[in-house]
Amino acid sequence: FPYTTLFRSKLKRLIALDLKLGKFKAEYKGQMELYLKYLEKYEKEEDENTPLGIILCSDKNQEQIELLELEKSDIHVAKYLTILPPKEEFEKRLHKAIENAKQKYQNKG
C-alpha cells in the first residue's frame, strides 16, 4: 500500500498518512477506506482504537469533503503548503486550527 503508518500512543491507534501531489479527489476516500480496513484487520491490537486516516493534498474542496461526510468518519483531509505564507497569515491559520481543535474536543466531552 502506498501510505505511511504511524502509531500514536496517547490515542492508542494507528494512523495512516497518504500524501497526494495534487488536489483532493473523491476517490481518495475509497483508497483510504481500504487502507484503514487493512490496518483494522491485520495490524490493530485488541486494546487499540480504530485506525485514523489522514490524506494530505495540495488543495481541498470543502464542499466535496462535506458531501462525502468525512467529518463523521476516521478519515481527515489536510492541505499542505509548499511555500509558507507571511508570518501574520501563518499565525492566523495556526490560531484558527487550535480553536477548531479545542471546540471539537469540548464538544466530545
Side-chain angles (χ1 to χ4, degrees):
F1 290 113
Y3 65 86
T4 300
T5 307
L6 305 171
F7 182 78
R8 182 67 179 124
S9 60
K10 287 189 179 186
L11 295 176
K12 293 195 87 166
R13 69 193 319 181
L14 293 163
I15 301 171
L17 294 174
D18 194 2
L19 176 63
K20 300 296 186 182
L21 297 178
K23 294 181 180 183
F24 175 77
K25 296 178 184 174
E27 61 258 27
Y28 296 164
K29 178 187 178 196
Q31 289 175 331
M32 183 56 78
E33 287 172 339
L34 178 65
Y35 302 156
L36 295 178
K37 295 281 186 196
Y38 177 87
L39 291 174
E40 177 85 25
K41 186 172 183 175
Y42 297 109
E43 302 291 334
K44 180 180 163 268
E45 301 289 330
E46 277 189 37
D47 64 334
E48 294 174 2
N49 295 310
T50 58
L52 174 74
I54 300 174
I55 303 168
L56 296 171
C57 300
S58 64
D59 201 3
K60 62 182 184 173
N61 180 322
Q62 192 60 38
E63 182 180 12
Q64 204 177 43
I65 291 166
E66 289 170 9
L67 289 171
L68 292 169
E69 297 183 336
L70 292 179
E71 70 278 353
K72 296 177 184 176
S73 73
D74 286 325
I75 299 173
H76 302 277
V77 178
K79 179 180 172 181
Y80 62 80
L81 302 173
T82 55
I83 299 173
L84 285 179
K87 181 180 177 184
E88 296 80 22
E89 185 178 335
F90 186 74
E91 286 176 345
K92 187 173 141 183
R93 287 184 185 191
L94 182 59
H95 289 295
K96 184 177 179 181
I98 292 169
E99 286 304 313
N100 289 342
K102 284 180 183 178
Q103 287 177 359
K104 285 182 182 178
Y105 179 75
Q106 289 172 350
N107 290 340
K108 287 186 177 186

